[in-house]
Amino acid sequence: MSLRPVLETRRAQPHIEGAGVHLHRAFGFGDPSEQDPFLLFDDFRGDHEELYKEGFPWHPHRGIETITYVLAGEVEHGDSLGNRGVLGAGSVQWMTAGSGILHQEMPRGNAQGQMHGFQLWANLPSSLKMTTPRYQDIGGDDIPVVIDDDGTAARVIMGEFWGKKGPVDGIAADPQYLDISVPPGARKTIKVDTYRQTFAYVFAGAGLFSDASAPEGVLLEKEYMGQEVNIRDLSGNRTLVRFGTGDEITVQAGPEGVRFLLVSGAPLKEPVAWHGPIVMNTQEELMQAMRDLRNGTFIKPAH
C-alpha cells in the first residue's frame, strides 16, 4: 500500500458566474492537465437569494459533461431537448453535453433562504465529443449511504465504495464521486485507484490530510488529537486538496469532524481546445462550434 502525497492545498477563490451567482472556484480555466479528466469545480452557496437568484440563464455546452450536486435548496433546469426538472437537496444531475446543448440552471433557496451546491466539469474523450446529449437526474433518496464502524459515512454518488455502487452510470471518465463525513477526532484511511487523478474538496469542518513524506502530519508546537499539529495546517472550508499517485489517502478529522468530496477519474491525456463552455481537441473544432452557434446549427439531430 502506498499513501498518496499531498501535492497542494489551496482555497477556492471568489468568482461571479452566470447572471450574477456568487461562488467559489476551486479550479478551472487554468492548466487542463492539472486535474485531467476534470476541467472545473465550483462551489456555489449563499444564505441570501441576491447571491444566487439570477442563476445561470440559457447557455451552450459542447464536448463535456457537467455534474451538479445539490446540498441545500433547489436547482430548476431546462434544456433545448425539452428536458425539465428540479434538483432538490441531496440530488445530483449528470449532463452529457456531447455534440451540443443549450440549457439553464436556476438556483432557489430553501425556507431559510439557503442555497448550496457544487458543479464539476468532466472532459469527454475525442471519440465522444459529438455524442448525443443526455441527462441523468438522481434523487437524494436514491444515492446509497454506507457507514463504517467508527461513524465515517459516505454517500456514493458515482462508482463503487465499501460494497455500494452509485446510481449514476455510463460516464466517459468512469469516475468515483463520494461525499464523505469523518467524525470528530477520527483518523481514516481510504483506498483509491492508483492510476486515477484524485482530489478532495473540504466544505465543512476541517481535517489534516497526511502526506507520504510526513504521514503523521506536520509536527509543530501544539498537541492536537494525539499528535503535535499546528491547527493552522488543517484543511478547512472551501479547501482543495490535490494528491499525487498512490492507492490510499489518510485524513485526521478536526474537533468538529470533516466533510469533503473525494473525486477521481481516469486521465484522458488528450489535447484540449477550450473557450468558455465549449471544450474540444483542436482550434478548428472550437471554431466550428462557434460557427454552429452563429448560424443556428449548434444543436444536432439525435443519432
Side-chain angles (χ1 to χ4, degrees):
M1 298 298 176
S2 59
L3 184 67
R4 281 186 177 238
V6 175
L7 298 180
E8 178 188 17
T9 61
R10 65 173 183 245
R11 294 294 300 275
Q13 296 301 304
H15 195 77
I16 296 179
E17 195 56 87
V21 178
H22 292 248
L23 52 79
H24 283 72
R25 180 159 292 163
F27 61 87
F29 296 101
D31 179 0
S33 67
E34 181 183 272
Q35 297 290 353
D36 180 22
F38 307 112
L39 298 163
L40 174 146
F41 182 84
D42 284 343
D43 176 349
F44 55 95
R45 67 175 96 172
D47 293 330
H48 306 286
E49 67 172 7
E50 61 267 20
L51 297 176
Y52 55 77
K53 67 177 181 179
E54 300 302 327
F56 307 92
W58 293 97
H59 58 280
H61 284 291
R62 177 179 284 180
I64 65 171
E65 299 181 281
T66 66
I67 305 95
T68 305
Y69 178 35
V70 178
L71 290 184
E74 298 176 333
V75 175
E76 183 178 1
H77 67 87
D79 69 43
S80 52
L81 302 177
N83 297 307
R84 296 288 186 273
V86 176
L87 292 174
S91 61
V92 64
Q93 177 195 87
W94 202 295
M95 184 192 77
T96 303
S99 61
I101 200 168
L102 298 171
H103 78 150
Q104 66 172 353
E105 298 163 299
M106 306 304 287
R108 300 193 303 233
N110 58 18
Q112 292 74 45
Q114 298 166 329
M115 173 68 216
H116 190 188
F118 307 102
Q119 187 165 94
L120 174 68
W121 290 11
N123 201 4
L124 280 170
S126 56
S127 60
L128 294 175
K129 287 289 188 187
M130 298 299 286
T131 193
T132 300
R134 70 166 182 156
Y135 271 106
Q136 293 183 70
D137 283 357
I138 308 295
D141 292 342
D142 295 323
I143 296 175
V145 178
V146 58
I147 302 176
D148 207 5
D149 293 340
D150 64 355
T152 297
R155 301 190 80 217
V156 186
I157 297 166
M158 177 72 191
E160 295 187 14
F161 188 68
W162 288 352
K164 297 289 186 179
K165 183 175 176 59
V168 182
D169 61 7
I171 305 304
D174 190 24
Q176 185 181 59
Y177 192 124
L178 309 171
D179 176 355
I180 297 177
S181 299
V182 182
R187 184 178 180 87
K188 199 67 182 174
T189 296
I190 299 168
K191 304 298 182 186
V192 292
D193 188 296
T194 305
Y195 302 103
R196 290 170 176 255
Q197 188 82 267
T198 302
F199 71 87
Y201 182 77
V202 178
F203 62 92
L208 181 74
F209 288 85
S210 298
D211 196 316
S213 61
E216 293 306 315
V218 182
L219 299 182
L220 293 173
E221 73 276 4
K222 182 172 180 178
E223 184 173 337
Y224 174 71
M225 296 295 177
Q227 56 182 314
E228 292 181 349
V229 173
N230 190 327
I231 199 166
R232 292 173 300 177
D233 294 316
L234 299 181
S235 296
N237 186 20
R238 296 192 178 105
T239 299
L240 176 75
V241 184
R242 294 179 55 228
F243 300 101
T245 56
D247 57 13
E248 61 184 29
I249 67 166
T250 296
V251 60
Q252 169 73 58
E256 298 178 354
V258 63
R259 187 175 179 186
F260 59 96
L261 302 179
L262 184 64
V263 182
S264 63
L268 299 180
K269 299 181 180 179
E270 293 184 350
V272 173
W274 186 356
H275 180 74
I278 299 172
V279 184
M280 305 303 289
N281 294 108
T282 69
Q283 287 297 315
E284 174 53 35
E285 291 171 338
L286 199 58
M287 292 171 62
Q288 182 60 55
M290 299 304 168
R291 287 194 292 268
D292 289 347
L293 277 171
R294 288 195 299 269
N295 64 24
T297 60
F298 186 78
I299 306 300
K300 306 299 183 185
H303 57 274

